[in-house]
Amino acid sequence: MTVHYVSREEIRDRVRQDVSRVGMTLEDFIAQGQADALTDGNLRDLWLIYGDLIAEE
């Protein structure tokens, strides 16, 4: 069995791609996530799953 670790930067890149599809930057996504202002269900799910990882720098 092989284990592949995903880096924080890889996660940020994947989330950046998803949010760019709705015309949002990663920075806007993080700001809206921290303000609890995301209204799209998919974006809220991304924030709940990855928010702590991508907001840290």
Side-chain angles (χ1 to χ4, degrees), residues 11 18 21 26 45:
I11 292 171
D18 288 337
R21 291 186 186 121
L26 184 63
D45 288 348

Side-chain angles (χ1 to χ4, degrees), residues 8 15 21 43 53 55:
R8 178 175 284 132
V15 171
R21 291 186 186 121
L43 295 180
L53 293 171

